[in-house]
Amino acid sequence: MLNTAKFTVGLSVLLFASAGVAFAQQDVSKVNGSVDVGSGEVRADVSTVNGSIKLGDKSKTDDVTTVNGEIELGNSVASKEVTTVNGAIKLGNNARVSNDVTTVNGSIFVADHGVIGGDVATVNGGIGLVRSEVGGDVATVNGDVTVGIGSHVKGKLIVKKPTNNSVLPISIGPNRIPRIIVGPNAVIDGELRFEREVKLYVHSSAKVGKISGAKPVSFSTPTAPAN
């Protein structure tokens, strides 16, 4: 025979727990203003239009998106995808992004032991990796790239040719030659393809795929030559 009192109490506890989970994983969305996700918090999509986004250490989210603003992920953050248009992206130590990390006008930096499942790409901005892993390609048009010490790019490294169009104009200075550095013990499995002039420096301990469009300068010092 069903004990009504016990059933009611049990159901109430279950509904309260479920509501707590739903609340913890709710979307955070704004139009104007920055978004901060606290350390250890769990959210679904986090987005704004005009504002920055900051995720605290050990937080977890799905897609992180803004249009005009920077994105900063703390240490040991887990996310599905990180995207902005006008702004830099910075990932802390041990950050995990299962898909792409992309911006148009801004730099991308991945700190120690970051893992990106997809591509790391920008148009007007540099890219820096430190002991990090990228499952897809690393690509830019007008920016320096450093595949730093101990980093592993499983796809290609691409510096694309600048193009001008009415939708997304790209302005390239006539004397701006990107510096591409592949540091000590770094690995790039795929092709290194350069569709424009670059200065390419490859450490003697690095392992890279086929190089097209540039002549590498080998170095064995901890940092690449200044020029």
Side-chain angles (χ1 to χ4, degrees), residues 58-110:
K58 298 182 180 180
S59 59
K60 295 181 179 180
T61 67
D62 290 334
D63 293 348
V64 180
T65 307
T66 185
V67 177
N68 298 306
E70 299 181 350
I71 298 177
E72 181 178 353
L73 276 61
N75 298 326
S76 301
V77 168
S79 183
K80 287 186 178 180
E81 188 160 293
V82 179
T83 305
T84 184
V85 177
N86 297 306
I89 298 175
K90 181 179 180 181
L91 278 62
N93 298 334
N94 299 297
R96 300 288 187 272
V97 178
S98 54
N99 296 318
D100 299 337
V101 175
T102 60
T103 182
V104 177
N105 297 306
S107 61
I108 299 174
F109 178 74
V110 184

mmCIF file of all heavy atoms in Angstrom, residues 58-110:
data_model
loop_
_atom_site.group_PDB
_atom_site.id
_atom_site.type_symbol
_atom_site.label_atom_id
_atom_site.label_comp_id
_atom_site.label_asym_id
_atom_site.label_seq_id
_atom_site.Cartn_x
_atom_site.Cartn_y
_atom_site.Cartn_z
ATOM 1 N N LYS A 58 37.533 26.745 -12.698
ATOM 2 C CA LYS A 58 36.791 25.488 -12.538
ATOM 3 C C LYS A 58 35.300 25.614 -12.863
ATOM 4 O O LYS A 58 34.507 24.754 -12.478
ATOM 5 C CB LYS A 58 36.975 24.920 -11.127
ATOM 6 C CG LYS A 58 38.412 24.571 -10.801
ATOM 7 C CD LYS A 58 38.546 23.970 -9.412
ATOM 8 C CE LYS A 58 40.006 23.619 -9.102
ATOM 9 N NZ LYS A 58 40.153 23.036 -7.749
ATOM 10 N N SER A 59 34.923 26.666 -13.576
ATOM 11 C CA SER A 59 33.532 26.764 -14.017
ATOM 12 C C SER A 59 33.328 25.931 -15.281
ATOM 13 O O SER A 59 34.290 25.574 -15.964
ATOM 14 C CB SER A 59 33.144 28.226 -14.276
ATOM 15 O OG SER A 59 33.975 28.798 -15.264
ATOM 16 N N LYS A 60 32.064 25.643 -15.585
ATOM 17 C CA LYS A 60 31.734 24.841 -16.759
ATOM 18 C C LYS A 60 30.588 25.504 -17.514
ATOM 19 O O LYS A 60 29.599 25.924 -16.904
ATOM 20 C CB LYS A 60 31.336 23.425 -16.354
ATOM 21 C CG LYS A 60 32.456 22.625 -15.709
ATOM 22 C CD LYS A 60 32.006 21.216 -15.357
ATOM 23 C CE LYS A 60 33.139 20.418 -14.723
ATOM 24 N NZ LYS A 60 32.709 19.032 -14.365
ATOM 25 N N THR A 61 30.725 25.591 -18.846
ATOM 26 C CA THR A 61 29.693 26.193 -19.671
ATOM 27 C C THR A 61 29.565 25.446 -20.994
ATOM 28 O O THR A 61 30.415 24.610 -21.327
ATOM 29 C CB THR A 61 30.012 27.671 -19.989
ATOM 30 O OG1 THR A 61 31.170 27.722 -20.838
ATOM 31 C CG2 THR A 61 30.281 28.470 -18.721
ATOM 32 N N ASP A 62 28.513 25.788 -21.736
ATOM 33 C CA ASP A 62 28.403 25.325 -23.118
ATOM 34 C C ASP A 62 29.062 26.387 -24.010
ATOM 35 O O ASP A 62 30.211 26.696 -23.831
ATOM 36 C CB ASP A 62 26.947 25.074 -23.487
ATOM 37 C CG ASP A 62 26.376 23.851 -22.775
ATOM 38 O OD1 ASP A 62 27.165 22.954 -22.411
ATOM 39 O OD2 ASP A 62 25.152 23.790 -22.576
ATOM 40 N N ASP A 63 28.342 26.992 -24.936
ATOM 41 C CA ASP A 63 28.925 28.002 -25.820
ATOM 42 C C ASP A 63 29.108 29.330 -25.079
ATOM 43 O O ASP A 63 28.244 29.748 -24.309
ATOM 44 C CB ASP A 63 28.038 28.219 -27.036
ATOM 45 C CG ASP A 63 27.998 26.997 -27.943
ATOM 46 O OD1 ASP A 63 28.824 26.092 -27.758
ATOM 47 O OD2 ASP A 63 27.133 26.952 -28.840
ATOM 48 N N VAL A 64 30.240 29.986 -25.357
ATOM 49 C CA VAL A 64 30.535 31.300 -24.787
ATOM 50 C C VAL A 64 30.680 32.266 -25.964
ATOM 51 O O VAL A 64 31.579 32.108 -26.790
ATOM 52 C CB VAL A 64 31.826 31.273 -23.957
ATOM 53 C CG1 VAL A 64 32.124 32.647 -23.381
ATOM 54 C CG2 VAL A 64 31.717 30.233 -22.843
ATOM 55 N N THR A 65 29.805 33.275 -26.046
ATOM 56 C CA THR A 65 29.746 34.117 -27.242
ATOM 57 C C THR A 65 29.516 35.580 -26.895
ATOM 58 O O THR A 65 28.644 35.903 -26.088
ATOM 59 C CB THR A 65 28.594 33.666 -28.160
ATOM 60 O OG1 THR A 65 28.698 32.268 -28.425
ATOM 61 C CG2 THR A 65 28.628 34.418 -29.489
ATOM 62 N N THR A 66 30.278 36.455 -27.525
ATOM 63 C CA THR A 66 30.010 37.882 -27.500
ATOM 64 C C THR A 66 30.340 38.456 -28.866
ATOM 65 O O THR A 66 30.919 37.771 -29.714
ATOM 66 C CB THR A 66 30.802 38.600 -26.394
ATOM 67 O OG1 THR A 66 30.405 39.981 -26.355
ATOM 68 C CG2 THR A 66 32.298 38.529 -26.639
ATOM 69 N N VAL A 67 29.962 39.708 -29.093
ATOM 70 C CA VAL A 67 30.265 40.379 -30.363
ATOM 71 C C VAL A 67 31.349 41.424 -30.151
ATOM 72 O O VAL A 67 32.398 41.385 -30.786
ATOM 73 C CB VAL A 67 28.999 41.014 -30.975
ATOM 74 C CG1 VAL A 67 29.358 41.757 -32.258
ATOM 75 C CG2 VAL A 67 27.951 39.943 -31.261
ATOM 76 N N ASN A 68 31.095 42.327 -29.232
ATOM 77 C CA ASN A 68 32.063 43.386 -28.951
ATOM 78 C C ASN A 68 32.553 43.251 -27.510
ATOM 79 O O ASN A 68 31.961 43.811 -26.588
ATOM 80 C CB ASN A 68 31.429 44.767 -29.161
ATOM 81 C CG ASN A 68 30.998 44.978 -30.594
ATOM 82 O OD1 ASN A 68 31.801 44.830 -31.521
ATOM 83 N ND2 ASN A 68 29.740 45.322 -30.796
ATOM 84 N N GLY A 69 33.597 42.488 -27.342
ATOM 85 C CA GLY A 69 34.119 42.290 -25.996
ATOM 86 C C GLY A 69 35.127 41.174 -25.930
ATOM 87 O O GLY A 69 35.187 40.301 -26.801
ATOM 88 N N GLU A 70 35.948 41.213 -24.881
ATOM 89 C CA GLU A 70 36.943 40.173 -24.654
ATOM 90 C C GLU A 70 36.324 38.992 -23.922
ATOM 91 O O GLU A 70 35.295 39.127 -23.251
ATOM 92 C CB GLU A 70 38.108 40.739 -23.838
ATOM 93 C CG GLU A 70 38.853 41.880 -24.511
ATOM 94 C CD GLU A 70 40.014 42.381 -23.683
ATOM 95 O OE1 GLU A 70 40.121 41.976 -22.501
ATOM 96 O OE2 GLU A 70 40.816 43.169 -24.208
ATOM 97 N N ILE A 71 36.980 37.849 -24.039
ATOM 98 C CA ILE A 71 36.564 36.653 -23.311
ATOM 99 C C ILE A 71 37.771 36.121 -22.544
ATOM 100 O O ILE A 71 38.839 35.926 -23.125
ATOM 101 C CB ILE A 71 36.018 35.565 -24.245
ATOM 102 C CG1 ILE A 71 34.769 36.071 -24.983
ATOM 103 C CG2 ILE A 71 35.700 34.301 -23.455
ATOM 104 C CD1 ILE A 71 34.210 35.075 -25.986
ATOM 105 N N GLU A 72 37.579 35.891 -21.255
ATOM 106 C CA GLU A 72 38.658 35.357 -20.428
ATOM 107 C C GLU A 72 38.164 34.135 -19.666
ATOM 108 O O GLU A 72 37.175 34.215 -18.925
ATOM 109 C CB GLU A 72 39.170 36.410 -19.446
ATOM 110 C CG GLU A 72 40.316 35.915 -18.568
ATOM 111 C CD GLU A 72 40.859 36.984 -17.633
ATOM 112 O OE1 GLU A 72 40.434 38.152 -17.763
ATOM 113 O OE2 GLU A 72 41.691 36.643 -16.773
ATOM 114 N N LEU A 73 38.850 33.024 -19.858
ATOM 115 C CA LEU A 73 38.536 31.796 -19.134
ATOM 116 C C LEU A 73 39.599 31.585 -18.065
ATOM 117 O O LEU A 73 40.793 31.659 -18.339
ATOM 118 C CB LEU A 73 38.519 30.587 -20.074
ATOM 119 C CG LEU A 73 37.234 30.299 -20.849
ATOM 120 C CD1 LEU A 73 36.875 31.454 -21.767
ATOM 121 C CD2 LEU A 73 37.365 28.999 -21.642
ATOM 122 N N GLY A 74 39.158 31.298 -16.847
ATOM 123 C CA GLY A 74 40.090 31.048 -15.759
ATOM 124 C C GLY A 74 40.752 29.690 -15.871
ATOM 125 O O GLY A 74 40.648 28.997 -16.889
ATOM 126 N N ASN A 75 41.414 29.286 -14.817
ATOM 127 C CA ASN A 75 42.103 27.995 -14.797
ATOM 128 C C ASN A 75 41.098 26.849 -14.684
ATOM 129 O O ASN A 75 40.096 26.955 -13.973
ATOM 130 C CB ASN A 75 43.076 27.940 -13.616
ATOM 131 C CG ASN A 75 44.149 28.995 -13.709
ATOM 132 O OD1 ASN A 75 44.600 29.353 -14.794
ATOM 133 N ND2 ASN A 75 44.576 29.519 -12.573
ATOM 134 N N SER A 76 41.383 25.779 -15.402
ATOM 135 C CA SER A 76 40.593 24.538 -15.335
ATOM 136 C C SER A 76 39.121 24.755 -15.693
ATOM 137 O O SER A 76 38.227 24.102 -15.155
ATOM 138 C CB SER A 76 40.707 23.916 -13.940
ATOM 139 O OG SER A 76 42.052 23.631 -13.616
ATOM 140 N N VAL A 77 38.870 25.667 -16.605
ATOM 141 C CA VAL A 77 37.507 25.905 -17.094
ATOM 142 C C VAL A 77 37.204 24.936 -18.230
ATOM 143 O O VAL A 77 38.077 24.610 -19.033
ATOM 144 C CB VAL A 77 37.356 27.360 -17.583
ATOM 145 C CG1 VAL A 77 36.068 27.554 -18.360
ATOM 146 C CG2 VAL A 77 37.406 28.314 -16.404
ATOM 147 N N ALA A 78 35.972 24.479 -18.309
ATOM 148 C CA ALA A 78 35.547 23.602 -19.397
ATOM 149 C C ALA A 78 34.413 24.269 -20.162
ATOM 150 O O ALA A 78 33.448 24.754 -19.562
ATOM 151 C CB ALA A 78 35.092 22.253 -18.858
ATOM 152 N N SER A 79 34.518 24.310 -21.499
ATOM 153 C CA SER A 79 33.500 24.925 -22.340
ATOM 154 C C SER A 79 33.431 24.191 -23.666
ATOM 155 O O SER A 79 34.358 23.471 -24.041
ATOM 156 C CB SER A 79 33.829 26.408 -22.566
ATOM 157 O OG SER A 79 32.817 27.037 -23.312
ATOM 158 N N LYS A 80 32.324 24.395 -24.394
ATOM 159 C CA LYS A 80 32.170 23.732 -25.691
ATOM 160 C C LYS A 80 32.760 24.565 -26.833
ATOM 161 O O LYS A 80 33.445 24.048 -27.699
ATOM 162 C CB LYS A 80 30.697 23.442 -25.970
ATOM 163 C CG LYS A 80 30.125 22.306 -25.133
ATOM 164 C CD LYS A 80 28.707 21.980 -25.549
ATOM 165 C CE LYS A 80 28.163 20.800 -24.741
ATOM 166 N NZ LYS A 80 26.761 20.462 -25.133
ATOM 167 N N GLU A 81 32.475 25.868 -26.846
ATOM 168 C CA GLU A 81 32.963 26.729 -27.916
ATOM 169 C C GLU A 81 33.089 28.151 -27.405
ATOM 170 O O GLU A 81 32.276 28.599 -26.597
ATOM 171 C CB GLU A 81 32.026 26.669 -29.126
ATOM 172 C CG GLU A 81 32.551 27.385 -30.363
ATOM 173 C CD GLU A 81 31.863 26.907 -31.635
ATOM 174 O OE1 GLU A 81 32.055 25.740 -32.014
ATOM 175 O OE2 GLU A 81 31.112 27.695 -32.224
ATOM 176 N N VAL A 82 34.117 28.858 -27.893
ATOM 177 C CA VAL A 82 34.372 30.222 -27.436
ATOM 178 C C VAL A 82 34.517 31.111 -28.669
ATOM 179 O O VAL A 82 35.406 30.887 -29.494
ATOM 180 C CB VAL A 82 35.645 30.285 -26.570
ATOM 181 C CG1 VAL A 82 35.916 31.711 -26.128
ATOM 182 C CG2 VAL A 82 35.524 29.361 -25.362
ATOM 183 N N THR A 83 33.661 32.148 -28.767
ATOM 184 C CA THR A 83 33.632 32.968 -29.975
ATOM 185 C C THR A 83 33.367 34.431 -29.644
ATOM 186 O O THR A 83 32.460 34.745 -28.870
ATOM 187 C CB THR A 83 32.525 32.499 -30.941
ATOM 188 O OG1 THR A 83 32.705 31.118 -31.234
ATOM 189 C CG2 THR A 83 32.571 33.290 -32.236
ATOM 190 N N THR A 84 34.137 35.328 -30.246
ATOM 191 C CA THR A 84 33.851 36.747 -30.230
ATOM 192 C C THR A 84 34.165 37.307 -31.609
ATOM 193 O O THR A 84 34.757 36.622 -32.446
ATOM 194 C CB THR A 84 34.643 37.490 -29.138
ATOM 195 O OG1 THR A 84 34.248 38.868 -29.127
ATOM 196 C CG2 THR A 84 36.142 37.406 -29.380
ATOM 197 N N VAL A 85 33.780 38.551 -31.850
ATOM 198 C CA VAL A 85 34.090 39.212 -33.120
ATOM 199 C C VAL A 85 35.159 40.271 -32.905
ATOM 200 O O VAL A 85 36.213 40.235 -33.524
ATOM 201 C CB VAL A 85 32.825 39.825 -33.748
ATOM 202 C CG1 VAL A 85 33.180 40.565 -35.043
ATOM 203 C CG2 VAL A 85 31.790 38.740 -34.037
ATOM 204 N N ASN A 86 34.878 41.190 -32.008
ATOM 205 C CA ASN A 86 35.837 42.257 -31.723
ATOM 206 C C ASN A 86 36.329 42.132 -30.282
ATOM 207 O O ASN A 86 35.714 42.675 -29.353
ATOM 208 C CB ASN A 86 35.182 43.627 -31.933
ATOM 209 C CG ASN A 86 34.751 43.839 -33.369
ATOM 210 O OD1 ASN A 86 35.550 43.697 -34.291
ATOM 211 N ND2 ASN A 86 33.488 44.170 -33.575
ATOM 212 N N GLY A 87 37.398 41.399 -30.111
ATOM 213 C CA GLY A 87 37.924 41.216 -28.774
ATOM 214 C C GLY A 87 38.919 40.080 -28.709
ATOM 215 O O GLY A 87 38.910 39.170 -29.542
ATOM 216 N N ALA A 88 39.779 40.146 -27.712
ATOM 217 C CA ALA A 88 40.767 39.092 -27.492
ATOM 218 C C ALA A 88 40.155 37.938 -26.705
ATOM 219 O O ALA A 88 39.133 38.094 -26.031
ATOM 220 C CB ALA A 88 41.974 39.658 -26.748
ATOM 221 N N ILE A 89 40.804 36.776 -26.796
ATOM 222 C CA ILE A 89 40.391 35.595 -26.033
ATOM 223 C C ILE A 89 41.605 35.076 -25.273
ATOM 224 O O ILE A 89 42.665 34.872 -25.860
ATOM 225 C CB ILE A 89 39.842 34.494 -26.950
ATOM 226 C CG1 ILE A 89 38.592 34.985 -27.692
ATOM 227 C CG2 ILE A 89 39.522 33.240 -26.147
ATOM 228 C CD1 ILE A 89 38.060 33.985 -28.713
ATOM 229 N N LYS A 90 41.427 34.870 -23.976
ATOM 230 C CA LYS A 90 42.513 34.357 -23.144
ATOM 231 C C LYS A 90 42.018 33.172 -22.335
ATOM 232 O O LYS A 90 40.998 33.261 -21.653
ATOM 233 C CB LYS A 90 43.026 35.448 -22.197
ATOM 234 C CG LYS A 90 44.182 35.000 -21.322
ATOM 235 C CD LYS A 90 44.672 36.123 -20.418
ATOM 236 C CE LYS A 90 45.827 35.655 -19.539
ATOM 237 N NZ LYS A 90 46.290 36.749 -18.626
ATOM 238 N N LEU A 91 42.747 32.062 -22.445
ATOM 239 C CA LEU A 91 42.405 30.851 -21.714
ATOM 240 C C LEU A 91 43.463 30.585 -20.646
ATOM 241 O O LEU A 91 44.657 30.628 -20.927
ATOM 242 C CB LEU A 91 42.328 29.640 -22.651
ATOM 243 C CG LEU A 91 41.032 29.430 -23.433
ATOM 244 C CD1 LEU A 91 40.762 30.601 -24.368
ATOM 245 C CD2 LEU A 91 41.090 28.130 -24.225
ATOM 246 N N GLY A 92 43.012 30.298 -19.429
ATOM 247 C CA GLY A 92 43.924 30.028 -18.330
ATOM 248 C C GLY A 92 44.511 28.624 -18.383
ATOM 249 O O GLY A 92 44.258 27.847 -19.310
ATOM 250 N N ASN A 93 45.286 28.294 -17.376
ATOM 251 C CA ASN A 93 45.927 26.983 -17.304
ATOM 252 C C ASN A 93 44.880 25.865 -17.264
ATOM 253 O O ASN A 93 43.855 25.984 -16.593
ATOM 254 C CB ASN A 93 46.796 26.883 -16.050
ATOM 255 C CG ASN A 93 47.924 27.888 -16.038
ATOM 256 O OD1 ASN A 93 48.375 28.332 -17.094
ATOM 257 N ND2 ASN A 93 48.382 28.268 -14.859
ATOM 258 N N ASN A 94 45.162 24.785 -17.976
ATOM 259 C CA ASN A 94 44.326 23.578 -17.971
ATOM 260 C C ASN A 94 42.899 23.828 -18.472
ATOM 261 O O ASN A 94 41.982 23.063 -18.144
ATOM 262 C CB ASN A 94 44.267 22.963 -16.571
ATOM 263 C CG ASN A 94 45.625 22.541 -16.075
ATOM 264 O OD1 ASN A 94 46.279 21.671 -16.652
ATOM 265 N ND2 ASN A 94 46.091 23.173 -14.995
ATOM 266 N N ALA A 95 42.696 24.865 -19.257
ATOM 267 C CA ALA A 95 41.364 25.109 -19.828
ATOM 268 C C ALA A 95 41.052 24.060 -20.891
ATOM 269 O O ALA A 95 41.950 23.574 -21.594
ATOM 270 C CB ALA A 95 41.291 26.507 -20.430
ATOM 271 N N ARG A 96 39.778 23.718 -21.003
ATOM 272 C CA ARG A 96 39.327 22.722 -21.977
ATOM 273 C C ARG A 96 38.183 23.297 -22.795
ATOM 274 O O ARG A 96 37.158 23.692 -22.255
ATOM 275 C CB ARG A 96 38.842 21.445 -21.271
ATOM 276 C CG ARG A 96 39.898 20.743 -20.416
ATOM 277 C CD ARG A 96 40.929 20.071 -21.302
ATOM 278 N NE ARG A 96 41.864 19.254 -20.543
ATOM 279 C CZ ARG A 96 42.990 19.695 -20.003
ATOM 280 N NH1 ARG A 96 43.313 20.970 -20.114
ATOM 281 N NH2 ARG A 96 43.792 18.879 -19.344
ATOM 282 N N VAL A 97 38.375 23.342 -24.124
ATOM 283 C CA VAL A 97 37.308 23.769 -25.039
ATOM 284 C C VAL A 97 37.155 22.660 -26.064
ATOM 285 O O VAL A 97 38.087 22.349 -26.808
ATOM 286 C CB VAL A 97 37.644 25.107 -25.726
ATOM 287 C CG1 VAL A 97 36.542 25.490 -26.697
ATOM 288 C CG2 VAL A 97 37.845 26.212 -24.689
ATOM 289 N N SER A 98 35.981 22.058 -26.133
ATOM 290 C CA SER A 98 35.818 20.871 -26.962
ATOM 291 C C SER A 98 35.733 21.178 -28.452
ATOM 292 O O SER A 98 36.060 20.340 -29.285
ATOM 293 C CB SER A 98 34.589 20.073 -26.522
ATOM 294 O OG SER A 98 33.440 20.891 -26.496
ATOM 295 N N ASN A 99 35.304 22.398 -28.828
ATOM 296 C CA ASN A 99 35.212 22.764 -30.241
ATOM 297 C C ASN A 99 36.171 23.912 -30.566
ATOM 298 O O ASN A 99 37.316 23.873 -30.163
ATOM 299 C CB ASN A 99 33.761 23.103 -30.594
ATOM 300 C CG ASN A 99 32.837 21.909 -30.456
ATOM 301 O OD1 ASN A 99 33.194 20.799 -30.841
ATOM 302 N ND2 ASN A 99 31.659 22.118 -29.894
ATOM 303 N N ASP A 100 35.708 24.939 -31.288
ATOM 304 C CA ASP A 100 36.590 25.991 -31.794
ATOM 305 C C ASP A 100 36.746 27.155 -30.816
ATOM 306 O O ASP A 100 35.855 27.449 -30.010
ATOM 307 C CB ASP A 100 36.050 26.549 -33.112
ATOM 308 C CG ASP A 100 35.971 25.495 -34.205
ATOM 309 O OD1 ASP A 100 36.708 24.493 -34.115
ATOM 310 O OD2 ASP A 100 35.180 25.685 -35.152
ATOM 311 N N VAL A 101 37.864 27.847 -30.968
ATOM 312 C CA VAL A 101 38.111 29.123 -30.302
ATOM 313 C C VAL A 101 38.398 30.130 -31.408
ATOM 314 O O VAL A 101 39.411 30.026 -32.105
ATOM 315 C CB VAL A 101 39.298 29.044 -29.326
ATOM 316 C CG1 VAL A 101 39.608 30.408 -28.741
ATOM 317 C CG2 VAL A 101 39.011 28.035 -28.213
ATOM 318 N N THR A 102 37.502 31.117 -31.604
ATOM 319 C CA THR A 102 37.645 32.011 -32.756
ATOM 320 C C THR A 102 37.318 33.459 -32.402
ATOM 321 O O THR A 102 36.453 33.739 -31.573
ATOM 322 C CB THR A 102 36.714 31.591 -33.915
ATOM 323 O OG1 THR A 102 35.361 31.628 -33.476
ATOM 324 C CG2 THR A 102 37.059 30.192 -34.400
ATOM 325 N N THR A 103 38.012 34.369 -33.071
ATOM 326 C CA THR A 103 37.703 35.790 -33.038
ATOM 327 C C THR A 103 38.031 36.353 -34.414
ATOM 328 O O THR A 103 38.667 35.678 -35.234
ATOM 329 C CB THR A 103 38.478 36.522 -31.932
ATOM 330 O OG1 THR A 103 38.091 37.907 -31.931
ATOM 331 C CG2 THR A 103 39.980 36.424 -32.141
ATOM 332 N N VAL A 104 37.612 37.590 -34.677
ATOM 333 C CA VAL A 104 37.947 38.254 -35.933
ATOM 334 C C VAL A 104 39.010 39.311 -35.691
ATOM 335 O O VAL A 104 40.083 39.279 -36.277
ATOM 336 C CB VAL A 104 36.693 38.875 -36.587
ATOM 337 C CG1 VAL A 104 37.081 39.637 -37.853
ATOM 338 C CG2 VAL A 104 35.679 37.787 -36.927
ATOM 339 N N ASN A 105 38.712 40.229 -34.790
ATOM 340 C CA ASN A 105 39.653 41.300 -34.477
ATOM 341 C C ASN A 105 40.121 41.145 -33.030
ATOM 342 O O ASN A 105 39.505 41.691 -32.113
ATOM 343 C CB ASN A 105 38.992 42.664 -34.674
ATOM 344 C CG ASN A 105 38.586 42.891 -36.120
ATOM 345 O OD1 ASN A 105 39.399 42.779 -37.027
ATOM 346 N ND2 ASN A 105 37.316 43.190 -36.338
ATOM 347 N N GLY A 106 41.172 40.392 -32.850
ATOM 348 C CA GLY A 106 41.677 40.165 -31.509
ATOM 349 C C GLY A 106 42.644 39.016 -31.470
ATOM 350 O O GLY A 106 42.686 38.177 -32.379
ATOM 351 N N SER A 107 43.427 38.973 -30.413
ATOM 352 C CA SER A 107 44.411 37.902 -30.243
ATOM 353 C C SER A 107 43.799 36.730 -29.480
ATOM 354 O O SER A 107 42.751 36.854 -28.839
ATOM 355 C CB SER A 107 45.636 38.432 -29.494
ATOM 356 O OG SER A 107 45.257 38.900 -28.205
ATOM 357 N N ILE A 108 44.484 35.592 -29.549
ATOM 358 C CA ILE A 108 44.083 34.395 -28.807
ATOM 359 C C ILE A 108 45.310 33.860 -28.078
ATOM 360 O O ILE A 108 46.357 33.649 -28.690
ATOM 361 C CB ILE A 108 43.516 33.304 -29.734
ATOM 362 C CG1 ILE A 108 42.269 33.813 -30.464
ATOM 363 C CG2 ILE A 108 43.188 32.041 -28.931
ATOM 364 C CD1 ILE A 108 41.729 32.835 -31.500
ATOM 365 N N PHE A 109 45.170 33.638 -26.771
ATOM 366 C CA PHE A 109 46.269 33.076 -25.987
ATOM 367 C C PHE A 109 45.755 31.894 -25.183
ATOM 368 O O PHE A 109 44.738 31.992 -24.490
ATOM 369 C CB PHE A 109 46.860 34.117 -25.047
ATOM 370 C CG PHE A 109 47.966 33.575 -24.166
ATOM 371 C CD1 PHE A 109 49.219 33.312 -24.698
ATOM 372 C CD2 PHE A 109 47.733 33.308 -22.827
ATOM 373 C CE1 PHE A 109 50.229 32.791 -23.903
ATOM 374 C CE2 PHE A 109 48.741 32.797 -22.023
ATOM 375 C CZ PHE A 109 49.990 32.536 -22.558
ATOM 376 N N VAL A 110 46.468 30.770 -25.281
ATOM 377 C CA VAL A 110 46.123 29.559 -24.543
ATOM 378 C C VAL A 110 47.282 29.238 -23.616
ATOM 379 O O VAL A 110 48.395 28.951 -24.072
ATOM 380 C CB VAL A 110 45.846 28.375 -25.488
ATOM 381 C CG1 VAL A 110 45.396 27.161 -24.687
ATOM 382 C CG2 VAL A 110 44.792 28.748 -26.532
#
